[in-house]
Amino acid sequence: MLAAKLLVGDHVNERWMIYHGGGHMAYNELPMIIHQGDVLHTEVLGQHIIILNSLGAVTDLIGRRAANYSSRPSIPMLELMDWIDFNVSMLPHGDLWKRHRRIFQQSFRKDLAVSYEPIQKKKIHQMLRGLSETPDDFRTHIRVTSAGIIMAIVYSHNVSTMDDKYVLIAEKAMGARVKALIPGASLVNTIPMLRYIPPWFPGAKFHQVASEVRKLTYEMQNAGFDFVRRNMVILYLASLSS
């Protein structure tokens, strides 16, 4: 179940009704469906798909039994890019995820979040000033503000333009990650066993792409920390000489 994809029915638009038999189409006609009911199962090219066909099934499995059934899907391309172990949002439910979440909560829980308001206000004031001077660059001002708040809080680094070295590194790595998640973009996501074929094998271009993105991933993870380390050394040496 942890490796399965979960499709939750849309009660608002009633698209969920397509999975029912008795007059509704498609899934009751597919021979790969094991049974019909609140929880359906099918398999496509080795990937298991679980369809939760009622609000009760969603509440019971994803809500009440989250420790057993609530996790992240396995995406081979992201694993080849080394995008999983450091990314809390992509980690499967388990001890490592709990440790990461605990560390995150130590700095970003509700009672501590208010301490970041001065940084947020400063960046927003800068954005408003920029909008008044160059309103046509609205999109750029929004991006600079978003990146600036994050970099200032996490690394005490001031971002003034989108040409900032650390922002460019993160954008390149994030862009590659987004492309890897587009359905059909990487064949290895559809047929996971392909990850074991050698890079020189025809059709294994995803290995080359993953190798290039791994370098960006590593640089993104470490560039900010290296910046903080250098500043700590500078401050320490300055304190010794004062």
Side-chain angles (χ1 to χ4, degrees), residues 75-95:
I75 304 177
M77 195 60 179
L78 290 185
E79 294 174 1
L80 292 172
M81 292 176 174
D82 285 345
W83 251 98
I84 303 296
D85 291 344
F86 75 96
N87 192 330
V88 182
S89 65
M90 299 302 300
L91 281 173
H93 194 279
D95 292 337

Side-chain angles (χ1 to χ4, degrees), residues 72-141:
R72 312 298 191 272
S74 174
I75 304 177
M77 195 60 179
L78 290 185
E79 294 174 1
L80 292 172
M81 292 176 174
D82 285 345
W83 251 98
I84 303 296
D85 291 344
F86 75 96
N87 192 330
V88 182
S89 65
M90 299 302 300
L91 281 173
H93 194 279
D95 292 337
L96 181 59
W97 175 80
K98 290 178 180 177
R99 289 199 298 270
H100 277 253
R101 186 185 179 192
R102 190 179 303 116
I103 293 171
F104 183 85
Q105 289 283 57
Q106 289 174 1
S107 297
F108 293 98
R109 63 179 185 268
K110 184 177 180 180
D111 59 318
L112 290 178
V114 295
S115 64
Y116 305 127
E117 285 186 5
I119 293 175
Q120 294 171 319
K121 289 179 179 178
K122 178 182 178 181
K123 294 299 179 181
I124 290 172
H125 290 162
Q126 291 175 352
M127 180 189 70
L128 294 175
R129 191 180 305 114
L131 285 172
S132 67
E133 296 172 354
T134 54
D136 292 339
D137 295 333
F138 175 83
R139 187 183 184 91
T140 300
H141 291 309

